[in-house]
Amino acid sequence: MITVRCFATVREILGCETRTLPPSSTPQLASDILRIVAGARTTDLPKPLLVAINCEHASLTSPVKDGDEIAFFPPVSGG
Amino acid sequence: MITVRCFATVREILGCETRTLPPSSTPQLASDILRIVAGARTTDLPKPLLVAINCEHASLTSPVKDGDEIAFFPPVSGG
Amino acid sequence: MIIRLQTADFDPEREAQALDVKGAGARVSFVGTVRDTAQDRRIEALEIEHYPEMTRAELARIGTAAQTTHDLLEVLIIHRYGRLQSHERIVLVTVWSAHRAGAFAGCQAIVDALKTRAPFWKKEISPEGAVWVPGQTPQDLR
Amino acid sequence: MIIRLQTADFDPEREAQALDVKGAGARVSFVGTVRDTAQDRRIEALEIEHYPEMTRAELARIGTAAQTTHDLLEVLIIHRYGRLQSHERIVLVTVWSAHRAGAFAGCQAIVDALKTRAPFWKKEISPEGAVWVPGQTPQDLR
């Protein structure tokens, strides 16, 4: 199982906060997960789109494996 | 009248906090005032010796005139 | 190191006093507050969203890195989330060090990293509507 | 700009709150405290002497310069003198700015200038006796 979480504008555009996906039998990258959850709406998402895997900053080319939590969100504005 | 003030180690070495001197008829520099108040003990004073005239940092070559307040003190250690 | 994420306000001095840091000669604090204007729009409030588990992990990484690099004796980070009115405090970063140079550099390093790496997002609420504040991307991912 | 020279302790947060600074998004504070050791000697207390009229004038010049250079909205400087025990607060410098970069740079500039230009002298009291703390000379007079 892979958990997908979306924040801020990504959450608003995809209309979804948390989603779980079955593990894949073939190796997957963050970009593959994005294709599954965003589909055609990928082009509506903020650029750059930030990715985190297991609560660490990652990128769209980072590998994702069973049990991982992957998150998509826009650039951050804390502080 | 010229007011001379000494602080910290300068005060301790010269044994004097405040002193007044009559105005001079000839132009005077801070170093002239120092010679009057410290005399032979000038060599015992901290180096560098700092000088302020009318509450502004100055140097031993700054001119001093009637009505001025001149101060001698060691390097500072505030904060 | 103390890291707290909360909706409630905090008293910067009381929080600092609660940590009795031995050997510290210098303490530097940063307090960020909600401004009342942004690009000439009047800001009524800020809505702060975050990714709690990652925020906590990222702030711990940021704090630990600064502690090592700048020889900090202690680090305190408090960040609020939820809806905040203008002039309210958002964030507190306080660091302790033996000397001032490390304290200033360490506090600034944490605040800078927090603003580019910690997963917070702000929406500004003004009479004209709500607008997401443009964000920042971590240096190593640009 | 508020400048205070006093023997009494101060509450950094209360002092900052008393100034209601409009438009400030960032506030940076420096608090200097008496350390408990120096060169392996145990410090019991510090005796701080100063030149009151010049201290006030010099801090005003330092604060005004930083305010202009770093776009500060407000500056607060409190410095104690007299006898202070170890761990007691000595000095507070708090600055307000619209943004964090100016606030950090401005606060650090004031603290640095204060340490090299303001006429304060410290004597460390330890069980072995009293020792004057080596001082600093202003940059332009070296």
Side-chain angles (χ1 to χ4, degrees), chain C residues 44-64:
Chain C
E44 291 170 344
L46 214 53
E47 269 170 18
I48 303 181
E49 175 175 342
H50 76 135
Y51 177 4
E53 301 86 345
M54 180 172 171
T55 307
R56 193 167 288 281
E58 192 64 26
L59 291 180
R61 286 189 285 265
I62 290 167
T64 302

Side-chain angles (χ1 to χ4, degrees), chain C residues 12-30:
Chain C
E13 189 57 28
R14 190 176 305 177
E15 300 291 348
Q17 285 300 324
L19 285 160
D20 177 29
V21 183
K22 301 258 183 275
R27 186 181 101 195
V28 172
S29 289
F30 172 85

Side-chain angles (χ1 to χ4, degrees), chain D residues 65-97:
Chain D
Q67 213 161 4
T68 310
T69 309
H70 301 286
D71 233 342
L72 305 179
L73 296 164
E74 185 58 276
V75 169
L76 166 66
I77 304 175
I78 301 177
H79 203 300
R80 295 174 68 191
Y81 60 92
R83 191 181 176 98
L84 307 184
Q85 303 301 313
S86 71
H87 300 125
E88 280 196 75
R89 285 180 274 257
I90 305 171
V91 59
L92 170 69
V93 176
T94 301
V95 309
W96 288 258
S97 185

Side-chain angles (χ1 to χ4, degrees), chain B residues 35-49:
Chain B
R35 199 170 308 119
I36 297 169
V37 299
R41 287 165 303 174
T42 301
T43 52
D44 301 334
L45 295 179
K47 286 181 191 56
L49 180 72

Side-chain angles (χ1 to χ4, degrees), chain D residues 47-70:
Chain D
E47 268 170 18
I48 304 181
E49 175 175 342
H50 76 135
Y51 178 4
E53 302 85 345
M54 179 172 172
T55 307
R56 194 167 287 281
E58 192 63 28
L59 292 180
R61 286 189 284 264
I62 291 168
T64 302
Q67 213 161 4
T68 310
T69 309
H70 301 286

